[in-house]
Amino acid sequence: LHATVPVRNFSVGFGMEFERLRMFEIELINGSQTETHAFYEYFMMGKFFAHVEYPIVLGQADGWRLLPYARGGYYIMAMVRSTSLFGENRNGATWMGGLGTVVERDLGDWLSVIAGINGEYKYFRNTSLERPTIRQHFFSGALTFGVRAKLW
């Protein structure tokens, strides 16, 4: 769910998304040594972010637009089974950022269809009171398809 408003040549706003993640292995880094272990974990993330896009009209009057965008914010985790993945207290530092682009085609005055691609980076660090320090780096990509409604 995204809500944006036009500001000069840009559209700015906020959004939230939910996604499921699966892990199949984990890398443990201790100084200069790295060990890879099989590690199956399944959990969900709720993302909340600021969103900026720059509409580029494709063609003159046919209703096609290219919308490159950037977003940044934070996320929360749910349904995590393993406490060793994020520590006992999952209230550590979380943030995310991403870049992507959407192609939009108008279907009328207030409705359009979209298709897009994006890449995101998500970071987690447990609280400074917990030991050992746990840091997670998630890289992900997605294809999106949907419908946009213009409310004004």
Side-chain angles (χ1 to χ4, degrees):
L1 177 63
H2 300 211
T4 60
V5 294
V7 178
R8 297 191 183 233
N9 295 333
F10 294 88
S11 290
V12 297
F14 296 94
M16 67 179 184
E17 293 178 354
F18 301 96
E19 66 182 50
R20 293 176 158 174
L21 290 138
R22 271 190 213 154
M23 291 179 64
F24 298 103
E25 65 181 32
I26 192 167
E27 222 174 55
L28 303 176
I29 301 169
N30 186 7
S32 62
Q33 295 180 337
T34 302
E35 297 176 8
T36 302
H37 299 276
F39 188 89
Y40 182 76
E41 180 68 71
Y42 176 80
F43 55 97
M44 293 186 69
M45 284 186 179
K47 302 182 295 185
F48 305 90
F49 51 84
H51 183 91
V52 177
E53 59 188 37
Y54 182 75
I56 301 169
V57 175
L58 303 174
Q60 291 300 317
D62 56 1
W64 287 92
R65 279 180 298 288
L66 182 68
L67 305 162
Y69 65 84
R71 59 173 63 160
Y74 71 98
Y75 64 91
I76 57 172
M77 293 170 286
M79 299 173 49
V80 179
R81 294 179 308 198
S82 174
T83 58
S84 62
L85 183 61
F86 296 103
E88 293 294 328
N89 182 357
R90 296 187 192 121
N91 296 328
T94 65
W95 57 267
M96 53 81 59
L99 298 172
T101 191
V102 169
V103 175
E104 181 177 32
R105 171 71 165 110
D106 287 338
L107 297 178
D109 291 338
W110 60 275
L111 192 65
S112 60
V113 291
I114 60 169
I117 186 168
N118 77 339
E120 283 185 347
Y121 169 74
K122 299 170 194 76
Y123 173 81
F124 172 85
R125 183 184 187 286
N126 62 338
T127 63
S128 59
L129 302 175
E130 284 190 89
R131 294 288 179 253
T133 299
I134 299 171
R135 288 188 185 96
Q136 300 286 350
H137 304 272
F138 298 96
F139 296 93
S140 63
L143 297 173
T144 56
F145 302 94
V147 177
R148 270 192 182 175
K150 297 171 183 123
L151 301 177
W152 64 81

